[in-house]
Amino acid sequence: MQRVKKILNDTADVVAETVEGLVLASDGTTRLMDGHRVIVRQPSAREAGRKGKVGLLVGGGSGHEPLFSGLVGQGLADAAVCGNVFAAPSPDAIAAATQDIDDGAGVLYVYGNYAGDVMNFDMGAELAGDEDITVRNVRVRDDVAAAPKERIDDRRGIAGDLFVVKIAGSACESCDTLDEAWRITAKAEANTRSIGVAVSAGSIPETGKPTFELGDDEIEIGMGAHGEPGVSRQKIGPADAVVDQMMAALLPDLPFERGCEVALLINNLGASTMMELLIANRRIRHCLDQAGVGVHRTEIGHFLTTQEMAGYSITLLKLDDELKHHLDAPARSVAYSRG
């Protein structure tokens, strides 16, 4: 297996150096917490005079930039806690971040539904509870390929994290209570579905080796964000046929029904071209038109990557007036800005 080329320093320092570079790119709107790989919004709620704001903490393994580390800022997260590459952040870092951003109204956690993240965020919440901080969490489970609908709690979180974090950020800015911010965020998560396709693997910097192998003429439908197996490994076909197969899995799952309105996200897993994403978009819109589903807005680009994995994912968020309001609210961060 050929080694993947990357321009790095010591591979043991990739996460620390990535986080440092991201904070510098924020031009003073974020800071790095002392002693932890945690990116924190500044000014804080207290410093900005927003006493009693519900805090929003997001996070997960590194290697998926700009998620989650790039989503700290106005109308988004108050902090992001960064684990090692494809590994959950530590409970101590989660607890420290929770204490840092708590302003007396409690803290909402949003993260992907992976065993390590679930365990460590639960432990972090317990530690925060020892400091009398109330925590609630929303685990994103948008990947329809990871498990059947009757086992939705076994599904993993992929690019749908972006929409859930965006709505959570607005809710935490505007809601008076943690419970209300949680309700809106949980509704967004419950209405989000995604599926991915890969044509080549990403790699882990420490090993330099691809995380899986695909033949030159193969694709995998339903590939996970770390290279987890999908639902179908097959010969590569025309773009329209690939999109049709993905949409056939997505549309019935919620279901997305005639007359509903969605937000659409086409996420570059790392190394695909904008040409491929735009060609996919035209077919996705054809499928949605045929199904009678309207598109409120479209996001296309890098949001959740897997290093240099080539491929993309499609996410649909079913909207109502409340979710649309929070999705469209102003937001600004290094990786994502609206309004």
Side-chain angles (χ1 to χ4, degrees):
M1 188 181 292
Q2 187 174 1
R3 187 174 180 85
V4 177
K5 294 180 182 178
K6 293 182 188 288
I7 302 173
L8 303 171
N9 296 311
D10 189 328
T11 56
D13 297 329
V14 291
V15 175
E17 292 181 353
T18 299
V19 170
E20 180 184 358
L22 193 146
V23 168
L24 290 169
S26 77
D27 296 328
T29 62
T30 67
R31 61 177 170 84
L32 185 61
M33 183 184 294
D34 290 341
H36 296 284
R37 289 180 308 208
V38 175
I39 297 172
V40 183
R41 175 183 174 185
Q42 65 178 35
S44 69
R46 281 183 225 94
E47 292 164 340
R50 299 191 311 279
K51 182 64 180 171
K53 178 191 177 298
V54 176
L56 176 59
L57 178 64
V58 301
S62 297
H64 299 299
E65 292 77 23
L67 202 82
F68 287 92
S69 52
L71 300 180
V72 177
Q74 174 198 351
L76 293 162
D78 293 292
V81 57
C82 307
N84 289 327
V85 175
F86 303 163
S90 72
D92 287 347
I94 293 166
T98 306
Q99 291 181 54
D100 191 280
I101 67 173
D102 177 56
D103 195 33
V107 175
L108 179 65
Y109 292 169
V110 175
Y111 55 92
N113 188 39
Y114 295 89
D117 292 288
V118 171
M119 179 177 68
N120 288 4
F121 272 93
D122 282 352
M123 292 172 65
E126 289 180 12
L127 293 170
D130 292 340
E131 302 298 324
D132 295 324
I133 300 171
T134 303
V135 170
R136 298 202 69 174
N137 68 74
V138 173
R139 300 167 183 162
V140 182
R141 308 157 299 168
D142 57 313
D143 187 356
V144 303
K149 190 174 181 180
E150 60 269 20
R151 288 178 29 231
I152 194 168
D153 285 341
D154 293 331
R155 289 181 172 178
R156 56 205 172 212
I158 51 174
D161 284 294
L162 175 75
F163 284 151
V164 180
V165 171
K166 170 65 191 72
I167 288 170
S170 173
C172 288
E173 291 274 3
S174 60
C175 291
D176 292 331
T177 67
L178 174 60
D179 285 347
E180 182 66 1
W182 175 87
R183 181 192 64 79
I184 294 166
T185 304
K187 180 166 72 168
E189 191 278 333
N191 282 279
T192 303
R193 299 289 189 274
S194 302
I195 190 169
V197 60
V199 298
S200 68
S203 65
I204 298 175
E206 287 82 354
T207 67
K209 301 294 185 181
T211 55
F212 61 90
E213 292 186 68
L214 275 174
D216 290 342
D217 61 347
E218 289 183 320
I219 62 171
E220 183 141 0
I221 304 290
M223 177 69 69
H226 307 97
E228 300 95 337
V231 294
S232 175
R233 182 169 290 201
Q234 60 198 50
K235 300 297 183 183
I236 193 165
D240 286 359
V242 171
V243 169
D244 287 351
Q245 190 173 348
M246 297 169 75
M247 294 299 286
L250 271 183
L251 286 171
D253 194 88
L254 189 57
F256 297 91
E257 298 166 314
R258 185 170 296 276
C260 77
E261 192 172 25
V262 300
L264 166 64
L265 170 67
I266 306 171
N267 171 63
N268 192 334
L269 290 171
S272 289
T273 61
M274 183 58 76
M275 178 184 291
E276 292 167 275
L277 304 187
L278 294 173
I279 288 171
N281 183 46
R282 51 166 284 286
R283 187 63 178 185
I284 293 165
R285 293 298 293 265
H286 169 79
C287 293
L288 292 172
D289 287 346
Q290 291 293 106
V293 175
V295 177
H296 172 64
R297 62 190 257 190
T298 304
E299 308 279 2
I300 303 177
H302 292 82
F303 299 103
L304 181 150
T305 63
T306 305
Q307 298 292 285
E308 63 281 88
M309 185 186 287
Y312 54 83
S313 60
I314 303 168
T315 298
L316 299 177
L317 165 62
K318 187 175 182 179
L319 295 168
D320 61 13
D321 288 344
E322 183 176 54
L323 293 179
K324 190 184 296 186
H325 166 78
H326 289 289
L327 185 68
D328 290 344
R332 180 167 296 277
S333 71
V334 170
Y336 185 85
S337 295
R338 276 285 169 177

